Amino acid sequence: SRNHSIILDYYGFGADDQIMPTYEALGQIHGGLTRERVRQLIERNYRDHLDGPLPIAERVDAVITQRDFWVEPDLLQQLQTESLIGNFPTLVGIIDYLRSQGLSEGYAVYHANLEKVTRSSYSKHEARVVCNESKLGSLKKHLKAAYKVPGLVGLGKLSYVKGPKTTEDFKALKELIVLNEQTWSALEGEDLWYIFENSDGNSLINAAEKVFSIVESIGLDHLTEMLSHSLRRRAANSEFPSDNLIRTWIMQSRHFLVEDGLASFKGTPGDLSDGEEILCNIMRGRGALPTPEITKALAAEGLGSANIGKLVFNSPLLFIDRKGGRGNYLVTLASDLTFYQNSKNEKRYDRFKDRLSKIGNTDQTSSGARRREQSILADWIFGQKKKRRCAICQQKYSRKALVVAHKKKRSQC
């Protein structure tokens, strides 16, 4: 019975939920056996007795080999529907069991990024697929092409991926994209739109990093519009996503937190270009301004017409009000869009006020007297940002280089 248990555990059929166990692990579980002893027991009690595949194994193999590509849950469900297996959490052991009998050769279990499942990587990803090695090369090529599509357009469209020739190829690629835990995806009609959220160089993410370099939070509708028009600053070979898709992405993306119609950023704010810094200096605190006035001010700073056009009409830092028609647009810097920020700022104010009220005496003695409220006020000013503008010179510095202070008497604060 011990030998039977070792063999069942090795192929994932045992009672201990062993997934890809090593000979060493099985030896420890079953009485402190050595690695070599476990290998010998499996050989002598199972492999040496095989005289061709077992009938049940052949029936399972017949199902698997109907396709070159399976999503693991779909294949498990199919095998269970045909009463060929019980309730198994994974196909890793089953594939190894079949291959030990000369069946399903060329098939293996992979993660959604097409890395082969190993003992060390098994628990890193939840989604798995079963693929014939003959199909692996083309799928990797298609997946590599899919990574490039979202770059300039923010959200990629599956039909723009170059490479897949058949419906089955597109279906397999779609499954790999949707299953990838780094992917956000959504259907719009018959089209799959997606973004690999861990990839660098995506225009939507880059634009968001710039927006949140000058604001801590912004209205969802404003952010949607600003990110949308920022995409049009360059030509692209594929279709741009709709505002509705961008809005849905913001609400569901791991990069944002949306509460009460306000979006904040979980990532690291980006750096502004020289032109964007000039734009902010011209517009900060002035509210909505007509585009001709901004264009003239930028030209006075020595910027060229092409750069000015992109800054005024396609910068993610600006919200454009087009109600007045072409030539009468009004643009507002993101940091001046205060209407949508009031509700969150009021809650934030109350939260910090409560923290300050609880510290009691504001002096605390260390090597010298220091203000106990200093760290709270620093949190109020800096939040999660690592860089901030000096309130005096307007230059950006590391948080560590700045000091929070008040100019009026403390008795009036």
Side-chain angles (χ1 to χ4, degrees):
S1 62
R2 181 202 63 185
N3 296 344
H4 291 169
S5 296
I6 289 175
I7 294 164
L8 291 172
D9 285 348
Y10 183 74
Y11 290 108
F13 302 133
D16 295 327
D17 294 328
Q18 293 286 312
I19 303 295
M20 304 179 75
T22 62
Y23 289 149
E24 290 88 346
L26 290 173
Q28 292 175 5
I29 293 172
H30 295 282
L33 303 176
T34 65
R35 177 188 186 281
E36 179 59 20
R37 181 58 177 155
V38 171
R39 186 195 67 78
Q40 290 174 355
L41 289 173
I42 295 174
E43 290 286 341
R44 294 174 185 175
N45 292 277
Y46 168 63
R47 293 174 183 144
D48 290 348
H49 291 273
L50 284 172
D51 184 18
L54 298 175
I56 186 68
E58 289 182 314
R59 291 173 61 193
V60 172
D61 172 75
V63 174
I64 293 175
T65 54
Q66 289 174 8
R67 304 183 195 171
D68 289 325
F69 179 89
W70 290 88
V71 176
E72 186 180 50
D74 292 346
L75 180 50
L76 286 168
Q77 182 61 52
Q78 183 66 33
L79 294 172
Q80 290 172 11
T81 299
E82 298 191 23
S83 301
L84 296 174
I85 64 170
N87 184 25
F88 283 88
T90 178
L91 283 159
V92 174
I94 293 174
I95 295 294
D96 284 347
Y97 174 70
L98 295 175
R99 294 181 72 160
S100 73
Q101 299 182 43
L103 300 171
S104 297
E105 293 185 340
Y107 284 83
V109 183
Y110 298 88
H111 297 296
N113 60 5
L114 293 181
E115 292 180 0
K116 193 171 184 178
V117 171
T118 63
R119 289 186 181 90
S120 61
S121 72
Y122 175 82
S123 60
K124 291 182 180 179
H125 309 282
E126 293 184 5
R128 291 174 290 274
V129 299
V130 176
C131 183
N132 191 329
E133 291 171 357
S134 65
K135 195 73 173 175
L136 195 61
S138 63
L139 279 178
K140 285 185 175 180
K141 182 179 179 180
H142 301 338
L143 193 59
K144 184 177 180 180
Y147 268 95
K148 298 178 181 179
V149 173
L152 293 180
V153 294
L155 303 178
K157 192 175 178 181
L158 180 62
S159 58
Y160 280 97
V161 178
K162 296 180 180 179
K165 304 297 183 184
T166 67
T167 302
E168 287 302 314
D169 288 341
F170 266 108
K171 184 178 179 181
L173 181 58
K174 179 180 178 181
E175 296 283 10
L176 291 173
I177 290 173
V178 172
L179 289 172
N180 193 313
E181 59 197 32
Q182 302 293 343
T183 303
W184 175 90
S185 63
L187 284 172
E188 188 176 62
E190 297 296 321
D191 296 316
L192 179 76
W193 293 81
Y194 66 94
I195 178 175
F196 294 97
E197 297 209 284
N198 61 330
S199 60
D200 296 325
N202 181 276
S203 53
L204 266 183
I205 297 175
N206 292 345
E209 289 172 349
K210 289 181 179 293
V211 173
F212 288 96
S213 70
I214 64 172
V215 299
E216 290 186 359
S217 61
I218 190 169
L220 175 60
D221 292 337
H222 280 159
L223 181 61
T224 299
E225 167 67 21
M226 291 158 67
L227 294 184
S228 179
H229 73 238
S230 74
L231 294 177
R232 276 72 179 177
R233 67 189 304 170
R234 61 188 77 184
N237 295 324
S238 54
E239 183 181 346
F240 289 107
S242 65
D243 285 8
N244 185 55
L245 270 173
I246 294 174
R247 179 188 174 91
T248 304
W249 169 68
I250 295 170
M251 294 178 67
Q252 298 176 352
S253 170
R254 71 182 192 181
H255 290 289
F256 303 93
L257 175 65
V258 179
E259 293 180 321
D260 300 324
L262 278 168
S264 54
F265 195 55
K266 295 181 179 180
T268 302
D271 295 324
L272 302 182
S273 67
D274 291 343
E276 289 166 335
E277 292 280 7
I278 293 172
L279 180 69
C280 289
N281 290 335
I282 291 173
M283 297 193 63
R284 186 177 288 109
R286 299 179 64 190
L289 298 173
T291 53
E293 180 177 338
I294 306 304
T295 299
K296 185 177 180 180
L298 290 171
E301 294 287 340
L303 274 68
S305 58
N307 195 6
I308 290 174
K310 289 182 179 179
L311 284 172
V312 175
F313 298 105
N314 296 112
S315 172
L317 303 176
L318 302 180
F319 176 76
I320 303 177
D321 183 350
R322 294 179 169 84
K323 294 177 182 177
R326 184 174 292 276
N328 296 300
Y329 292 164
L330 293 176
V331 292
T332 308
L333 191 66
S335 57
D336 289 346
L337 296 170
T338 56
F339 176 79
Y340 283 93
Q341 298 181 22
N342 287 341
S343 63
K344 184 167 183 177
N345 284 344
E346 288 171 3
K347 292 179 182 178
R348 185 170 185 263
Y349 177 83
D350 290 339
R351 188 169 70 250
F352 274 84
K353 186 177 179 182
D354 182 62
R355 287 177 64 186
L356 286 168
S357 69
K358 291 179 179 177
I359 63 175
N361 180 18
T362 56
D363 287 338
Q364 176 175 314
T365 303
S366 53
S367 56
R370 70 178 181 88
R371 302 300 188 187
R372 297 181 66 192
E373 79 273 19
Q374 180 72 22
S375 62
I376 298 176
L377 296 177
D379 284 345
W380 165 262
I381 295 295
F382 294 119
Q384 298 299 315
K385 292 191 174 183
K386 296 181 180 179
K387 291 184 177 182
R388 266 297 202 177
R389 281 181 204 287
C390 170
I392 297 174
C393 70
Q394 293 299 313
Q395 297 300 309
K396 188 179 286 188
Y397 295 96
S398 165
R399 172 174 177 165
K400 295 179 181 179
L402 295 171
V403 175
V404 176
H406 42 76
K407 296 173 71 176
K408 63 184 178 181
K409 293 181 179 180
R410 285 185 78 248
S411 60
Q412 297 175 7
C413 288

